[in-house]
Structures are given as structure tokens and as C-alpha cells.
């Protein structure tokens, strides 16, 4: 298990509400689209990060984390496991308070590296599943 209940609660309720969602595009059939929609319903600002830099859910997109001209609290990662470690490293460099790898995204070395650098981290979980479990209301 990569992320205990206390860490999940802290990321979802206490670390800030600006979430960069890496892999979020206008493709409605992708999981990132629906998860971002749930995060918005629960009061999170969702910042799309995708090579196409598309506007999604009313928020301007950026091609990469380094292109975002403001601080982000959490980086939510929807890329495949082979690419996720590099994104986690970028999140640490960006100063994110937490990194969240989605269901099926697993990189144990990146998990250890990120935690050692300071940010909180959850891996192989989904915030759209976890946030309602905390009793939060949209």
C-alpha cells in the first residue's frame, strides 16, 4: 500500500487546492477527464498538463509542469508507469507539496525518491474514489 489513510486525508483536505493533472486532455473517454471533473466538484482547481496544452473544464492547459506560471499544491499523474518517475521528479523541482500516482501507475523508486525529497506521496490510488470516502461533500 502506497499511501496511508492519514497521508491521503492530508493531501485531499490539507495541502491546498491547486492540482496539476498530468495527462489531462479534452478526451472525455480518458480517466483523467472524469477524475478532474470530480476534483473540481470538490473545490479543487484543476490545471491540465498535456503536450497539447488544451483548455479542459474551463482551465487553461500547459504543455509541462515547468510551464505553469504559479505554484501547484498537488501533481496528479495519469501517465504510464515508465514515464511517471520523471513527472514525479519535475513535481519535486516545481515545489509541489504532494504527488499522486493514479490507479495502475506504479514506480517504487520514484515513490521513495519523492518521499525522501519531502513531498507527500500516494501511488496506485484514485482521489475521485478517496475523497468521497473521507466524508467530503461537493
Amino acid at each position: 500500500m502506497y499511501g496511508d489513510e492519514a497521508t491521503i486525508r492530508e493531501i485531499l483536505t490539507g495541502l491546498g487546492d491547486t492540482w496539476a493533472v498530468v495527462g489531462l486532455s479534452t478526451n472525455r473517454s480518458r480517466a483523467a477527464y472524469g477524475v478532474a471533473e470530480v476534483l473540481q466538484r470538490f473545490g479543487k482547481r484543476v490545471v491540465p498538463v498535456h503536450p497539447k496544452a488544451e483548455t479542459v473544464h474551463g482551465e487553461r492547459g500547459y504543455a509541462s509542469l515547468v510551464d505553469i506560471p504559479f505554484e501547484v499544491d498537488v501533481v496528479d499523474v495519469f501517465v504510464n508507469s515508465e514515464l511517471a518517475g520523471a513527472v514525479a521528479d519535475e513535481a519535486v523541482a516545481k515545489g509541489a507539496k504532494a504527488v499522486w500516482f493514479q490507479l495502475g501507475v506504479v514506480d517504487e523508486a520514484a515513490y521513495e525518491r519523492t518521499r525522501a525529497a519531502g513531498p507527500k506521496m500516494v501511488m496506485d490510488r484514485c482521489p475521485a474514489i478517496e475523497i468521497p470516502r473521507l466524508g467530503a461533500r461537493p
Side-chain angles (χ1 to χ4, degrees):
M1 186 90 124
Y2 303 100
D4 58 53
E5 294 302 312
T7 301
I8 290 168
R9 181 175 296 280
E10 184 177 5
I11 292 172
L12 289 171
T13 65
L15 289 185
D17 292 330
T18 301
W19 286 55
V21 181
V22 179
L24 175 57
S25 71
T26 58
N27 185 341
R28 293 174 181 261
S29 67
R30 303 291 301 203
Y33 190 90
V35 170
E37 200 168 47
V38 170
L39 288 169
Q40 275 190 327
R41 276 201 315 263
F42 280 89
K44 308 298 182 193
R45 178 182 183 192
V46 173
V47 180
V49 179
H50 189 279
K52 293 181 182 176
E54 300 170 308
T55 296
V56 185
H57 299 306
E59 286 284 345
R60 177 185 170 195
Y62 297 89
S64 70
L65 287 173
V66 298
D67 293 333
I68 301 173
F70 48 84
E71 291 183 8
V72 296
D73 301 308
V74 181
V75 175
D76 191 4
V77 182
F78 277 91
V79 300
N80 67 48
S81 298
E82 292 76 35
L83 302 174
V87 175
D89 295 339
E90 290 172 21
V92 169
K94 176 80 177 156
K97 298 172 191 163
V99 177
W100 191 299
F101 282 8
Q102 282 294 325
L103 287 172
V105 180
V106 176
D107 181 332
E108 292 182 10
Y111 180 81
E112 294 303 326
R113 229 177 21 252
T114 301
R115 291 183 60 214
K120 303 289 183 185
M121 182 147 182
V122 172
M123 183 165 70
D124 197 23
R125 304 284 286 267
C126 179
I129 294 169
E130 300 299 332
I131 201 166
R133 278 190 336 100
L134 297 176
R137 298 265 183 246

